[in-house]
């Protein structure tokens, strides 16, 4: 038996589950995205196969629970439409791959196998991240800047880890709230700004190069040092 797959979709997706079982996968089939969202933390599975035709508010709640950096679960969404805009929307909502419902079974199985392989590698290699002289070890939850070990609260660590996963990328406040706090705060909350200030004191204070940068009009990023044409670090 290979990986367990969580299939979330109506009765019309039963044939998909049958094909997966014949291929040797263990399959948990739930018809409701809300039920899946309520149970997801207690289920052991390696990949989510999600019906994109289910109500978007319900599937978004499920995806919010799935996109937990500690679990690293790949998501494939199945859509009845081959419209390019519909597929792009699926990616925007958090899918790692999108397939049309009529895709040949062997193609779906190949995509599943590929994502499982990629994500197994990601889990093995992403427990420790180094950005310049900053080292973050998720397994033991230790942070060091140079030779100095830095004590962080649980939420400070989660925020720093998220920024490190997206190094050199601008992360909006809303995106950070969604993936670090996993809760939709009111729009004018300043909790991200407060925690960024805490991290700056602990990570950047007294350092020649400041790793945590403000992206005006967007949010924040963890930025690696850059060298200009004169050889100076900026």
């Amino acid at each position: 038996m290979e990986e367990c797959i969580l299939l979330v979709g109506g009765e019309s997706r039963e044939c998909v589950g049958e094909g997966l079982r014949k291929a040797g996968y263990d399959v948990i089939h739930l018809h409701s995205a809300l039920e899946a969202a309520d149970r997801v933390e207690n289920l052991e599975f390696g990949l989510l196969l999600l019906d994109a035709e289910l109500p978007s508010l319900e599937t978004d709640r499920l995806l919010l629970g799935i996109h937990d950096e500690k679990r690293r679960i790949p998501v494939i969404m199945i859509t009845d439409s081959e419209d390019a805009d519909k597929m792009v929307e699926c990616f925007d909502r958090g899918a790692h791959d999108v397939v049309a419902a009529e895709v040949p079974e062997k193609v779906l199985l190949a995509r599943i196998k590929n994502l499982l392989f990629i994500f197994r590698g990601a889990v093995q290699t992403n427990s420790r991240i180094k950005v310049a002289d900053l080292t973050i070890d998720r397994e033991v939850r230790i942070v060091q800047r140079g030779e100095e070990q830095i004590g962080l609260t649980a939420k400070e660590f989660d925020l720093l880890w998220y920024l490190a996963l997206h190094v050199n990328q601008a992360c909006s406040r809303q995106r950070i709230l969604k993936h670090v706090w996993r809760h939709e705060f009111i729009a004018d909350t300043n909790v991200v700004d407060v925690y960024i200030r805490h991290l700056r004191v602990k990570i950047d204070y007294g350092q020649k190069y400041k790793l945590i940068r403000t992206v005006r009009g967007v949010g924040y990023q963890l930025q690696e040092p850059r060298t200009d044409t004169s050889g100076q670090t900026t």
Side-chain angles (χ1 to χ4, degrees):
M1 188 72 70
E2 295 191 29
E3 300 272 2
C4 178
I5 295 175
L6 174 60
L7 171 62
V8 180
E11 293 182 3
S12 63
R13 307 304 184 199
E14 284 285 359
C15 58
V16 176
E18 291 173 7
L20 294 173
R21 292 185 183 96
K22 288 179 182 178
Y25 291 101
D26 188 11
V27 178
I28 302 171
H29 187 184
L30 301 177
H31 290 189
S32 165
L34 286 181
E35 179 187 2
D38 289 338
R39 295 179 56 187
V40 68
E41 290 188 3
N42 299 316
L43 295 175
E44 292 295 330
F45 59 97
L47 180 141
L48 170 64
L49 199 56
L50 176 63
D51 188 346
E53 309 307 321
L54 292 174
S56 59
L57 289 177
E58 298 179 9
T59 54
D60 284 347
R61 177 180 163 188
L62 171 59
L63 289 169
L64 183 59
I66 289 293
H67 290 307
D68 179 342
E69 304 298 347
K70 297 176 183 176
R71 299 189 76 184
R72 304 283 296 167
I73 301 295
V75 177
I76 299 178
M77 295 183 75
I78 306 174
T79 174
D80 289 336
S81 170
E82 294 190 43
D83 177 72
D85 289 338
K86 174 70 173 180
M87 291 191 168
V88 169
E89 178 188 340
C90 291
F91 282 113
D92 287 342
R93 291 172 60 200
H96 299 100
D97 196 2
V98 183
V99 298
E102 300 303 318
V103 68
E105 184 177 289
K106 64 180 180 181
V107 174
L108 175 61
L109 291 173
R111 292 189 176 197
I112 289 172
K113 183 177 180 181
N114 183 57
L115 269 184
L116 288 172
F117 174 79
I118 291 171
F119 272 71
R120 274 197 296 267
V123 170
Q124 292 170 0
T125 59
N126 276 354
S127 64
R128 191 169 182 267
I129 295 177
K130 187 173 177 62
V131 179
D133 60 347
L134 176 69
T135 303
I136 311 165
D137 192 318
R138 187 179 61 178
E139 291 298 321
V140 292
R141 295 182 76 85
I142 288 177
V143 176
Q144 283 184 257
R145 182 92 194 248
E147 298 298 319
E148 179 186 358
Q149 186 167 316
I150 301 168
L152 299 180
T153 67
K155 193 57 67 178
E156 288 169 352
F157 183 94
D158 291 343
L159 173 55
L160 183 63
W161 179 258
Y162 183 78
L163 293 175
L165 282 173
H166 302 86
V167 64
N168 298 324
Q169 298 177 31
C171 299
S172 70
R173 291 172 177 81
Q174 205 61 29
R175 182 177 161 195
I176 292 170
L177 283 171
K178 182 176 181 180
H179 292 286
V180 177
W181 274 263
R182 300 179 63 193
H183 180 78
E184 295 296 340
F185 281 79
I186 56 175
D188 62 350
T189 183
N190 67 341
V191 65
V192 173
D193 304 303
V194 170
Y195 273 82
I196 287 289
R197 285 200 296 270
H198 293 171
L199 280 182
R200 279 177 162 155
V201 169
K202 295 182 177 182
I203 301 297
D204 282 341
Y205 181 77
Q207 300 288 339
K208 182 177 180 180
Y209 182 81
K210 312 302 182 186
L211 292 169
I212 301 171
R213 302 296 182 101
T214 299
V215 182
R216 189 176 298 276
V218 180
Y220 301 98
Q221 70 177 8
L222 193 68
Q223 187 185 90
E224 292 180 303
R226 299 172 182 175
T227 303
D228 62 22
T229 54
S230 66
Q232 295 295 314
T233 299
T234 60

